[in-house]
Amino acid sequence: MQYGPDPNAIYPNEAIKSICFIKNVITRPNIIVGDYTYYDDMNGAEKFEEHVTHHYEFIGDKLFIGKFCAIAKGIEFVMNGANHRMCSVTTYPFNIMGNGWEKSTPSLSDLPLKGDTVIGNDVWIGQNVTVMPGVHIGDGAIIAASSVVSKDIPPYHIAGGNPCNIIKKRFDDELIDYLLTIKWWDWPACKIFDNLDTLCSGDLSKIKKI
């Protein structure tokens, strides 16, 4: 028996080519994406990697995205390669222009590197969101459209704006802790299938009975 779409398919629904499972179109080793996470873009959902910018292997930073995330069109993950040296008189990157200016090439220790960017599981990111280097977005978070996320967002919080700020918690602390404990996104496909009505119900008491 089939319990939902094939997590290894590019398009989970062949009738809707604007949605693709990101994991299956990634070519860069420094982007790691979990099962069922999708990107929605009628102009080429399979081109997700084009929305991860300034991502250079010699810097070593990674983009981690968990399972069951919903990412809308216009996303941009700005990685650490976009950073300029800020400890000097000028931030201008003379070295990349060449023609002798490469003598000013900074070392990685001179750059304000922020580390890996980490998106949790079951995260919903609205249209035209920019995620800055090194940000961590927790499980179950929601990021409003057109936000610029420059700081960490806790699990199961709604955030939005430029700069992105927390708007409210989705649930009370007890339910948030429970959801982070059961980690439904790690259940086998058959268990998720059997509990879809509960996972999609507005009656939040049902999930505590599993």
Side-chain angles (χ1 to χ4, degrees):
M1 179 176 177
Q2 184 175 352
Y3 297 101
D6 179 359
N8 297 310
I10 292 177
Y11 304 107
N13 186 338
E14 286 292 334
I16 307 176
K17 292 295 180 70
S18 63
I19 293 177
C20 82
F21 283 158
I22 298 171
K23 181 192 75 170
N24 305 314
V25 296
I26 293 298
T27 63
R28 300 185 209 167
N30 47 2
I31 301 177
I32 299 93
V33 183
D35 288 344
Y36 303 105
T37 285
Y38 73 82
Y39 178 52
D40 182 358
D41 189 340
M42 67 178 62
N43 295 318
E46 69 282 354
K47 299 176 183 178
F48 173 80
E49 282 184 319
E50 294 180 4
H51 300 271
V52 183
T53 63
H54 306 88
H55 201 193
Y56 309 120
E57 287 192 24
F58 72 89
I59 291 179
D61 57 339
K62 293 179 172 62
L63 170 60
F64 294 96
I65 305 176
K67 301 175 182 177
F68 292 96
C69 292
I71 302 176
K73 69 178 182 179
I75 185 71
E76 182 174 7
F77 290 99
V78 180
M79 303 301 286
N80 283 283
N83 287 321
H84 291 208
R85 178 170 45 194
M86 296 192 294
C87 58
S88 53
V89 172
T90 179
T91 61
Y92 191 84
F94 286 95
N95 58 293
I96 67 173
M97 306 305 169
N99 294 288
W101 280 0
E102 61 273 10
K103 71 177 184 176
S104 72
T105 299
S107 66
L108 289 181
S109 62
D110 290 331
L111 300 174
L113 303 180
K114 305 294 185 180
D116 296 331
T117 299
V118 181
I119 313 301
N121 305 281
D122 190 25
V123 173
W124 174 22
I125 300 179
Q127 291 185 8
N128 302 315
V129 167
T130 300
V131 179
M132 300 303 289
V135 163
H136 289 210
I137 299 176
D139 298 324
I142 297 173
I143 309 300
S146 300
S147 297
V148 176
V149 190
S150 57
K151 60 185 178 182
D152 294 352
I153 306 299
Y156 289 99
H157 282 60
I158 300 173
N162 181 6
C164 190
N165 289 302
I166 294 169
I167 298 171
K168 65 178 182 179
K169 294 178 182 179
R170 292 184 60 194
F171 311 123
D172 61 40
D173 288 341
E174 181 182 356
L175 181 54
I176 290 174
D177 289 343
Y178 178 76
L179 294 171
L180 293 175
T181 298
I182 66 169
K183 298 182 179 180
W184 68 263
W185 43 83
D186 287 337
W187 292 351
C190 58
K191 184 174 181 179
I192 291 174
F193 184 85
D194 290 341
N195 289 281
L196 274 181
D197 289 344
T198 297
L199 290 170
C200 298
S201 175
D203 182 353
L204 299 176
S205 66
K206 289 184 176 181
I207 192 68
K208 294 183 178 179
K209 299 174 183 178
I210 297 178

